[in-house]
């Protein structure tokens, strides 16, 4: 896997805007990289696919382990949500997606799981649509890209359709977030393509009539996709109503994803599958024997409040508002590095299938919301 450069298309911003991609730059700085890309081999694509499928199975076993042994305190999950989580797990409540983040050691040809964004992963639109149009623009005759996200989304909504409650599937995110709205509208479009009736409502506009959640027209919400973190929802004023809802609305992602989207799952995975080649040693309550490690808040987002240690000396750190719930300690991974920066691989699971990858690049070895998105192709 290596970086290849292109002659810049002077109209790249206009080209991206024309397909509905309105956040390709942030404060005048490109977030989307158009003039270089990753070229990977079929063998490397197969490696990512197999690792993702195996880890997905391991993650489901880890959720079962947490539920059976009632380890919720390790995840700082509020007590009032435990029954809801267990019910959603036992009922196999519908899940649509998630994204594994991998470090790739180019010398060892080895993938290591950094974390699993199982609840509210973003950059789906960039991965499924924008990089596909990018490939068609620069490589019109090349058909290979690890990317069947769009097809898999349509198929997955079709599979879930018989199991959804009510006639309308609501879609929701916070107001004034163009990135979130773009991702939600993309997901909504793929649901519409399966014949589902949908409705957009912002999280801020969801109402409570004393018995059920309702939309702005007073219609009861029975099934709803939300691009909004569970750990935020349960700590807000309306959060307690989630367990009082007489409709027992289906939330997508379901509440059992609170376990997988929490970094406390990393020490649990290491305990259940010690020395697995795709896992990094991870622990609660300190770095244990590790001299090179990363201290991560169990609920941080966008790379906030990360501390990176080498020989027990801090070498990088980020600011933020997380850490009150506690930390985990994870072995320091070797990241892929090019002259343009450090990269991680995002591997998407849609339904039960590994179906697409993305690359994020940073000037430091911690991925944040400022990290660049790099498209890719597969070259045989």
């Amino acid at each position: 896997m290596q970086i290849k450069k292109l002659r810049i298309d002077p109209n790249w911003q206009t080209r991206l805007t024309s397909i509905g991609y309105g956040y390709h730059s942030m404060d005048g700085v490109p977030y989307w990289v158009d003039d270089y890309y990753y070229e990977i081999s079929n063998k490397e694509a197969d490696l990512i696919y197999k690792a993702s499928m195996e880890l997905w199975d391991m993650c489901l076993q880890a959720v079962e382990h947490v539920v059976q042994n009632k380890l919720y305190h390790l995840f700082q999950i509020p007590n009032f949500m435990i029954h809801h989580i267990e019910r959603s797990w036992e009922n196999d409540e519908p899940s649509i997606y998630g994204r594994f983040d991998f470090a790739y050691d180019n010398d060892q040809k080895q993938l290591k799981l950094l974390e699993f964004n199982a609840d509210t992963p973003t950059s789906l639109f960039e991965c499924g649509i924008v990089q596909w149009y990018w490939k068609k623009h620069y490589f019109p005759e090349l058909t290979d890209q690890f990317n069947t996200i769009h097809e898999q989304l349509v198929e997955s909504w079709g599979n879930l359709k018989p199991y959804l409650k009510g006639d309308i599937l609501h879609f929701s995110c916070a107001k004034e977030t163009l990135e979130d709205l773009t991702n939600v509208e993309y997901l909504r479009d793929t649901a519409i393509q399966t014949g589902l009736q949908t409705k957009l409502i912002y999280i801020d506009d969801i109402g409570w009539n004393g018995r059920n959640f309702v939309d702005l027209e007073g219609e009861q919400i029975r099934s709803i996709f939300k691009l909004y973190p569970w750990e935020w929802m349960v700590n807000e004023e309306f959060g307690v109503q989630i367990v009082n809802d007489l409709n027992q609305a289906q939330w997508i992602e379901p509440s059992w994803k609170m376990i997988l989207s929490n970094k406390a799952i990393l020490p649990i995975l290491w305990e259940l599958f010690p020395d697995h080649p795709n896992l990094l040693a991870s622990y609660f309550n300190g770095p244990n024997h590790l001299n090179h490690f990363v201290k991560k808040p169990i609920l941080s987002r966008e790379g906030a409040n990360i501390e990176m240690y080498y020989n027990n000396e801090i070498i990088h750190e980020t600011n933020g508002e997380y850490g009150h719930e506690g930390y985990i300690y994870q072995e320091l991974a070797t990241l892929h590095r090019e002259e343009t920066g450090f990269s991680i691989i995002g591997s998407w699971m849609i339904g039960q299938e590994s179906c697409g990858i993305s690359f994020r690049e940073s000037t430091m070895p911690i991925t944040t919301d400022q990290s660049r998105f790099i498209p890719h192709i597969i070259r045989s």
Side-chain angles (χ1 to χ4, degrees):
M1 136 179 161
Q2 57 182 323
I3 286 281
K4 296 288 185 72
K5 295 191 176 179
L6 293 165
R7 179 176 295 177
I8 187 71
D9 171 12
N11 299 313
W12 70 273
Q13 292 168 310
T14 304
R15 191 182 79 243
L16 297 184
T17 303
S18 71
I19 59 171
Y21 189 35
Y23 53 97
H24 48 67
S25 304
M26 291 185 286
D27 299 325
V29 178
Y31 158 65
W32 171 267
V33 171
D34 206 70
D35 60 341
Y36 60 87
Y37 62 96
Y38 269 104
E39 182 179 292
I40 68 171
S41 66
N42 279 314
K43 188 175 181 181
E44 287 165 332
D46 287 344
L47 182 71
I48 299 167
Y49 176 86
K50 290 175 181 174
S52 301
M53 294 298 288
E54 185 170 356
L55 283 166
W56 173 245
D57 182 64
M58 291 159 58
C59 283
L60 296 181
Q61 293 182 56
V63 173
E64 178 67 17
H65 174 77
V66 172
V67 171
Q68 288 297 322
N69 293 281
K70 298 192 176 297
L71 301 177
Y72 306 105
H73 61 286
L74 297 174
F75 296 74
Q76 298 294 314
I77 290 173
N79 288 335
F80 78 89
M81 281 299 296
I82 291 175
H83 177 66
H84 194 277
I85 291 170
E86 292 180 342
R87 190 182 65 208
S88 74
W89 176 245
E90 289 163 3
N91 291 343
D92 197 18
E93 292 283 342
S95 163
I96 194 72
Y97 71 165
R99 192 195 70 226
F100 291 110
D101 283 348
F102 289 124
Y104 182 63
D105 186 329
N106 211 22
D107 295 329
Q108 301 295 321
K109 307 299 180 191
Q110 201 165 50
L111 292 161
K112 295 289 188 182
L113 177 64
L114 297 172
E115 61 187 55
F116 186 24
N117 298 279
D119 185 19
T120 58
T122 53
S123 76
L124 182 67
F125 183 69
E126 293 93 307
C127 191
I129 295 295
V130 184
Q131 72 169 345
W132 178 254
Y133 277 99
W134 170 90
K135 187 187 77 66
K136 287 180 65 177
H137 177 79
Y138 285 109
F139 303 97
E141 297 177 1
L142 182 71
T143 57
D144 283 344
Q145 188 177 75
F146 189 170
N147 185 7
T148 57
I149 283 176
H150 187 85
E151 295 83 354
Q152 192 63 29
L153 279 172
V154 173
E155 182 178 337
S156 294
W157 286 124
N159 292 337
L160 295 185
K161 190 175 176 181
Y163 304 100
L164 297 176
K165 291 183 175 180
D167 297 325
I168 295 177
L169 175 59
H170 287 78
F171 283 79
S172 190
C173 65
K175 289 179 179 175
E176 299 177 355
T177 57
L178 179 60
E179 180 179 359
D180 288 5
L181 181 60
T182 302
N183 277 271
V184 164
E185 287 288 33
Y186 172 49
L187 281 156
R188 185 181 172 205
D189 177 67
T190 57
I192 290 171
Q193 290 184 39
T194 69
L196 283 166
Q197 294 185 62
T198 69
K199 207 171 185 180
L200 178 68
I201 181 169
Y202 291 111
I203 283 282
D204 322 56
D205 292 333
I206 294 176
W208 175 254
N209 65 8
R211 294 173 300 175
N212 318 110
F213 291 109
V214 293
D215 62 24
L216 289 173
E217 286 73 43
E219 191 160 11
Q220 294 181 20
I221 295 173
R222 297 177 182 273
S223 294
I224 178 168
F225 172 88
K226 51 87 189 164
L227 186 57
Y228 198 73
W230 269 108
E231 69 264 22
W232 292 3
M233 287 173 54
V234 299
N235 286 310
E236 291 178 3
E237 188 175 346
F238 76 94
V240 68
Q241 307 300 356
I242 293 167
V243 299
N244 296 327
D245 178 15
L246 295 181
N247 279 335
Q248 296 185 3
Q250 288 177 323
W251 293 87
I252 304 172
E253 295 298 300
S255 61
W256 61 262
K257 281 291 194 76
M258 286 182 75
I259 297 172
L260 285 181
S261 60
N262 187 308
K263 292 178 184 61
I265 199 64
L266 298 170
I268 298 290
L269 283 168
W270 184 249
E271 178 187 339
L272 293 176
F273 307 98
D275 300 319
H276 188 282
N278 296 127
L279 295 179
L280 294 159
S282 299
Y283 304 100
F284 294 107
N285 303 321
N288 206 304
H289 64 285
L290 302 174
N291 294 322
H292 318 314
F293 61 91
V294 180
K295 182 180 177 183
K296 296 181 173 180
I298 65 171
L299 292 176
S300 73
R301 311 182 70 80
E302 308 282 8
N305 299 101
I306 300 292
E307 296 179 3
M308 187 172 286
Y309 290 81
Y310 191 84
N311 279 335
N312 292 305
E313 296 287 337
I314 192 163
I315 55 173
H316 293 285
E317 63 181 324
T318 54
N319 298 321
E321 301 176 349
Y322 299 97
H324 303 295
E325 296 83 2
Y327 296 85
I328 62 100
Y329 300 80
Q330 185 185 52
E331 178 184 1
L332 184 63
T334 300
L335 297 185
H336 184 80
R337 186 177 188 179
E338 299 273 353
E339 63 180 22
T340 51
F342 297 89
S343 290
I344 65 169
I345 300 170
S347 176
W348 288 87
M349 296 294 300
I350 309 291
Q352 307 286 324
E353 189 75 21
S354 167
C355 61
I357 62 170
S358 53
F359 290 87
R360 295 289 299 276
E361 181 187 74
S362 306
T363 52
M364 66 171 178
I366 298 175
T367 304
T368 70
D369 59 352
Q370 304 295 312
S371 300
R372 302 173 286 277
F373 188 104
I374 307 175
H376 80 280
I377 61 168
I378 299 175
R379 182 86 69 179
S380 301

